[in-house]
Amino acid sequence: GAVVSQHPSWVICKSGTSVKIECRSLDFQATTMFWYRQFPKQSLMLMATSNEGSKATYEQGVEKDKFLINHASLTLSTLTVTSAHPEDSSFYICSARDDAEMLPGELFFGEGSRLTVL
Amino acid sequence: GQQLNQSPQSMFIQEGEDVSMNCTSSSIFNTWLWYKQDPGEGPVLLIALYKAGELTSNGRLTAQFGITRKDSFLNISASIPSDVGIYFCAGAVSSGSRLTFGEGTQLTVNP
């Protein structure tokens, strides 16, 4: 099946620094990728939709200057948490849709990235 | 906006028992998906449903797409310890639309 890989799987950083998380589709092309945030014991919250070659679409309440998304190729999207603060600590998960997949709706998820801001 | 109500929120069962969980919505979805998430991992797709009334199996898992397109259920038969995790339902309106997730069902299986 389709494989989506995230890196790093976990990161600890100091408050005020920026952190970049990569999301790669390993065996398929993905024009569209999605970034989610998940707090403990809660569901996935969609942050933004990443579109290759164009600006990301952010969900209401998500600061686009805080969470920078770049989707520069059909297999890579990056999420940069800028000037991170402790409240940004969370589990960030990306997902991707296979451009060649004819069935609607299926998304494949990365392994997630645990961010801890000290 | 669209919401999915998933129940139960948590389940504690004995190994070998069958499990059932469901999701309901106030609006119609044209795709229903069921995912399982292990601790510290991303969700893994278990079953995808594309047609109202569709009943699909994947090993010991069976899921159905409700005829009204506003609900879906997932059954796990003869549970085993590795079934432990959080199960999420998700719905999509169309092929290009975002997924809406349920709140999740935390499953604990006691050996």
PDB file of all heavy atoms in Angstrom, chain A residues 14-33:
ATOM      1  N   LYS A  14      13.993  24.435  22.032  1.00  0.00           N
ATOM      2  CA  LYS A  14      13.840  25.521  22.989  1.00  0.00           C
ATOM      3  C   LYS A  14      12.786  26.502  22.488  1.00  0.00           C
ATOM      4  O   LYS A  14      12.591  26.674  21.270  1.00  0.00           O
ATOM      5  CB  LYS A  14      15.167  26.247  23.192  1.00  0.00           C
ATOM      6  CG  LYS A  14      16.227  25.421  23.902  1.00  0.00           C
ATOM      7  CD  LYS A  14      17.484  26.250  24.117  1.00  0.00           C
ATOM      8  CE  LYS A  14      18.527  25.459  24.878  1.00  0.00           C
ATOM      9  NZ  LYS A  14      19.772  26.255  25.103  1.00  0.00           N
ATOM     10  N   SER A  15      12.142  27.156  23.401  1.00  0.00           N
ATOM     11  CA  SER A  15      11.156  28.163  23.068  1.00  0.00           C
ATOM     12  C   SER A  15      11.797  29.263  22.224  1.00  0.00           C
ATOM     13  O   SER A  15      12.910  29.699  22.517  1.00  0.00           O
ATOM     14  CB  SER A  15      10.571  28.747  24.348  1.00  0.00           C
ATOM     15  OG  SER A  15       9.504  29.627  24.066  1.00  0.00           O
ATOM     16  N   GLY A  16      11.111  29.663  21.167  1.00  0.00           N
ATOM     17  CA  GLY A  16      11.616  30.711  20.300  1.00  0.00           C
ATOM     18  C   GLY A  16      12.291  30.211  19.044  1.00  0.00           C
ATOM     19  O   GLY A  16      12.528  30.990  18.109  1.00  0.00           O
ATOM     20  N   THR A  17      12.626  28.941  19.011  1.00  0.00           N
ATOM     21  CA  THR A  17      13.270  28.390  17.818  1.00  0.00           C
ATOM     22  C   THR A  17      12.211  27.894  16.832  1.00  0.00           C
ATOM     23  O   THR A  17      11.039  27.774  17.164  1.00  0.00           O
ATOM     24  CB  THR A  17      14.210  27.240  18.175  1.00  0.00           C
ATOM     25  OG1 THR A  17      13.437  26.201  18.806  1.00  0.00           O
ATOM     26  CG2 THR A  17      15.284  27.704  19.133  1.00  0.00           C
ATOM     27  N   SER A  18      12.655  27.619  15.613  1.00  0.00           N
ATOM     28  CA  SER A  18      11.755  27.109  14.580  1.00  0.00           C
ATOM     29  C   SER A  18      12.072  25.642  14.303  1.00  0.00           C
ATOM     30  O   SER A  18      13.222  25.222  14.367  1.00  0.00           O
ATOM     31  CB  SER A  18      11.905  27.926  13.296  1.00  0.00           C
ATOM     32  OG  SER A  18      11.462  29.249  13.494  1.00  0.00           O
ATOM     33  N   VAL A  19      11.069  24.897  13.989  1.00  0.00           N
ATOM     34  CA  VAL A  19      11.214  23.464  13.742  1.00  0.00           C
ATOM     35  C   VAL A  19      10.535  23.106  12.419  1.00  0.00           C
ATOM     36  O   VAL A  19       9.409  23.520  12.166  1.00  0.00           O
ATOM     37  CB  VAL A  19      10.551  22.650  14.878  1.00  0.00           C
ATOM     38  CG1 VAL A  19      10.568  21.163  14.549  1.00  0.00           C
ATOM     39  CG2 VAL A  19      11.241  22.929  16.195  1.00  0.00           C
ATOM     40  N   LYS A  20      11.235  22.325  11.609  1.00  0.00           N
ATOM     41  CA  LYS A  20      10.684  21.900  10.323  1.00  0.00           C
ATOM     42  C   LYS A  20      10.383  20.402  10.357  1.00  0.00           C
ATOM     43  O   LYS A  20      11.228  19.596  10.773  1.00  0.00           O
ATOM     44  CB  LYS A  20      11.651  22.185   9.181  1.00  0.00           C
ATOM     45  CG  LYS A  20      11.130  21.735   7.804  1.00  0.00           C
ATOM     46  CD  LYS A  20      12.158  21.914   6.703  1.00  0.00           C
ATOM     47  CE  LYS A  20      12.308  23.365   6.318  1.00  0.00           C
ATOM     48  NZ  LYS A  20      13.157  23.523   5.112  1.00  0.00           N
ATOM     49  N   ILE A  21       9.196  20.051   9.903  1.00  0.00           N
ATOM     50  CA  ILE A  21       8.781  18.649   9.816  1.00  0.00           C
ATOM     51  C   ILE A  21       8.525  18.330   8.342  1.00  0.00           C
ATOM     52  O   ILE A  21       7.847  19.086   7.651  1.00  0.00           O
ATOM     53  CB  ILE A  21       7.495  18.396  10.638  1.00  0.00           C
ATOM     54  CG1 ILE A  21       7.730  18.771  12.102  1.00  0.00           C
ATOM     55  CG2 ILE A  21       7.072  16.934  10.517  1.00  0.00           C
ATOM     56  CD1 ILE A  21       6.453  18.770  12.932  1.00  0.00           C
ATOM     57  N   GLU A  22       9.078  17.220   7.895  1.00  0.00           N
ATOM     58  CA  GLU A  22       8.914  16.817   6.501  1.00  0.00           C
ATOM     59  C   GLU A  22       7.902  15.691   6.366  1.00  0.00           C
ATOM     60  O   GLU A  22       7.839  14.803   7.214  1.00  0.00           O
ATOM     61  CB  GLU A  22      10.255  16.353   5.926  1.00  0.00           C
ATOM     62  CG  GLU A  22      11.292  17.432   5.807  1.00  0.00           C
ATOM     63  CD  GLU A  22      12.547  16.924   5.116  1.00  0.00           C
ATOM     64  OE1 GLU A  22      12.710  15.708   4.978  1.00  0.00           O
ATOM     65  OE2 GLU A  22      13.374  17.780   4.724  1.00  0.00           O
ATOM     66  N   CYS A  23       7.174  15.726   5.284  1.00  0.00           N
ATOM     67  CA  CYS A  23       6.221  14.667   4.962  1.00  0.00           C
ATOM     68  C   CYS A  23       6.466  14.248   3.522  1.00  0.00           C
ATOM     69  O   CYS A  23       6.367  15.073   2.611  1.00  0.00           O
ATOM     70  CB  CYS A  23       4.797  15.185   5.136  1.00  0.00           C
ATOM     71  SG  CYS A  23       3.518  13.987   4.714  1.00  0.00           S
ATOM     72  N   ARG A  24       6.773  12.971   3.334  1.00  0.00           N
ATOM     73  CA  ARG A  24       7.078  12.469   1.993  1.00  0.00           C
ATOM     74  C   ARG A  24       6.172  11.308   1.618  1.00  0.00           C
ATOM     75  O   ARG A  24       5.923  10.417   2.428  1.00  0.00           O
ATOM     76  CB  ARG A  24       8.523  11.969   1.917  1.00  0.00           C
ATOM     77  CG  ARG A  24       9.572  13.047   2.075  1.00  0.00           C
ATOM     78  CD  ARG A  24      10.977  12.466   1.981  1.00  0.00           C
ATOM     79  NE  ARG A  24      11.985  13.495   2.234  1.00  0.00           N
ATOM     80  CZ  ARG A  24      12.478  14.292   1.320  1.00  0.00           C
ATOM     81  NH1 ARG A  24      12.085  14.181   0.045  1.00  0.00           N
ATOM     82  NH2 ARG A  24      13.381  15.200   1.625  1.00  0.00           N
ATOM     83  N   SER A  25       5.692  11.342   0.404  1.00  0.00           N
ATOM     84  CA  SER A  25       5.000  10.173  -0.144  1.00  0.00           C
ATOM     85  C   SER A  25       6.066   9.352  -0.862  1.00  0.00           C
ATOM     86  O   SER A  25       6.710   9.842  -1.786  1.00  0.00           O
ATOM     87  CB  SER A  25       3.887  10.601  -1.099  1.00  0.00           C
ATOM     88  OG  SER A  25       4.377  11.429  -2.136  1.00  0.00           O
ATOM     89  N   LEU A  26       6.265   8.117  -0.408  1.00  0.00           N
ATOM     90  CA  LEU A  26       7.421   7.346  -0.881  1.00  0.00           C
ATOM     91  C   LEU A  26       7.193   6.623  -2.197  1.00  0.00           C
ATOM     92  O   LEU A  26       8.127   6.431  -2.962  1.00  0.00           O
ATOM     93  CB  LEU A  26       7.835   6.332   0.190  1.00  0.00           C
ATOM     94  CG  LEU A  26       8.287   6.928   1.514  1.00  0.00           C
ATOM     95  CD1 LEU A  26       8.821   5.834   2.430  1.00  0.00           C
ATOM     96  CD2 LEU A  26       9.350   7.995   1.301  1.00  0.00           C
ATOM     97  N   ASP A  27       5.975   6.198  -2.456  1.00  0.00           N
ATOM     98  CA  ASP A  27       5.752   5.388  -3.660  1.00  0.00           C
ATOM     99  C   ASP A  27       4.591   5.891  -4.495  1.00  0.00           C
ATOM    100  O   ASP A  27       4.031   5.142  -5.309  1.00  0.00           O
ATOM    101  CB  ASP A  27       5.539   3.922  -3.279  1.00  0.00           C
ATOM    102  CG  ASP A  27       4.484   3.761  -2.206  1.00  0.00           C
ATOM    103  OD1 ASP A  27       3.929   4.783  -1.750  1.00  0.00           O
ATOM    104  OD2 ASP A  27       4.228   2.613  -1.824  1.00  0.00           O
ATOM    105  N   PHE A  28       4.257   7.163  -4.304  1.00  0.00           N
ATOM    106  CA  PHE A  28       3.199   7.736  -5.132  1.00  0.00           C
ATOM    107  C   PHE A  28       3.340   9.249  -5.148  1.00  0.00           C
ATOM    108  O   PHE A  28       4.056   9.827  -4.329  1.00  0.00           O
ATOM    109  CB  PHE A  28       1.812   7.334  -4.611  1.00  0.00           C
ATOM    110  CG  PHE A  28       1.479   7.856  -3.240  1.00  0.00           C
ATOM    111  CD1 PHE A  28       0.724   9.018  -3.076  1.00  0.00           C
ATOM    112  CD2 PHE A  28       1.901   7.182  -2.103  1.00  0.00           C
ATOM    113  CE1 PHE A  28       0.425   9.494  -1.800  1.00  0.00           C
ATOM    114  CE2 PHE A  28       1.603   7.652  -0.828  1.00  0.00           C
ATOM    115  CZ  PHE A  28       0.861   8.811  -0.684  1.00  0.00           C
ATOM    116  N   GLN A  29       2.666   9.859  -6.084  1.00  0.00           N
ATOM    117  CA  GLN A  29       2.674  11.312  -6.177  1.00  0.00           C
ATOM    118  C   GLN A  29       1.432  11.873  -5.506  1.00  0.00           C
ATOM    119  O   GLN A  29       0.341  11.316  -5.620  1.00  0.00           O
ATOM    120  CB  GLN A  29       2.731  11.751  -7.643  1.00  0.00           C
ATOM    121  CG  GLN A  29       4.053  11.403  -8.307  1.00  0.00           C
ATOM    122  CD  GLN A  29       4.161  11.959  -9.714  1.00  0.00           C
ATOM    123  OE1 GLN A  29       3.165  12.098 -10.407  1.00  0.00           O
ATOM    124  NE2 GLN A  29       5.367  12.272 -10.144  1.00  0.00           N
ATOM    125  N   ALA A  30       1.635  12.973  -4.812  1.00  0.00           N
ATOM    126  CA  ALA A  30       0.547  13.561  -4.042  1.00  0.00           C
ATOM    127  C   ALA A  30       0.490  15.069  -4.284  1.00  0.00           C
ATOM    128  O   ALA A  30       1.306  15.815  -3.745  1.00  0.00           O
ATOM    129  CB  ALA A  30       0.725  13.263  -2.559  1.00  0.00           C
ATOM    130  N   THR A  31      -0.457  15.478  -5.080  1.00  0.00           N
ATOM    131  CA  THR A  31      -0.666  16.906  -5.291  1.00  0.00           C
ATOM    132  C   THR A  31      -1.181  17.551  -4.016  1.00  0.00           C
ATOM    133  O   THR A  31      -0.895  18.713  -3.740  1.00  0.00           O
ATOM    134  CB  THR A  31      -1.669  17.132  -6.433  1.00  0.00           C
ATOM    135  OG1 THR A  31      -1.163  16.543  -7.639  1.00  0.00           O
ATOM    136  CG2 THR A  31      -1.930  18.604  -6.650  1.00  0.00           C
ATOM    137  N   THR A  32      -1.941  16.789  -3.260  1.00  0.00           N
ATOM    138  CA  THR A  32      -2.556  17.310  -2.046  1.00  0.00           C
ATOM    139  C   THR A  32      -2.097  16.528  -0.827  1.00  0.00           C
ATOM    140  O   THR A  32      -2.145  15.299  -0.813  1.00  0.00           O
ATOM    141  CB  THR A  32      -4.090  17.226  -2.144  1.00  0.00           C
ATOM    142  OG1 THR A  32      -4.526  17.913  -3.319  1.00  0.00           O
ATOM    143  CG2 THR A  32      -4.736  17.857  -0.927  1.00  0.00           C
ATOM    144  N   MET A  33      -1.638  17.267   0.149  1.00  0.00           N
ATOM    145  CA  MET A  33      -1.295  16.682   1.445  1.00  0.00           C
ATOM    146  C   MET A  33      -1.995  17.486   2.528  1.00  0.00           C
ATOM    147  O   MET A  33      -2.370  18.644   2.306  1.00  0.00           O
ATOM    148  CB  MET A  33       0.222  16.689   1.668  1.00  0.00           C
ATOM    149  CG  MET A  33       0.994  15.771   0.726  1.00  0.00           C
ATOM    150  SD  MET A  33       2.746  15.720   1.169  1.00  0.00           S
ATOM    151  CE  MET A  33       3.377  14.541  -0.030  1.00  0.00           C
TER     152      MET A  33
END
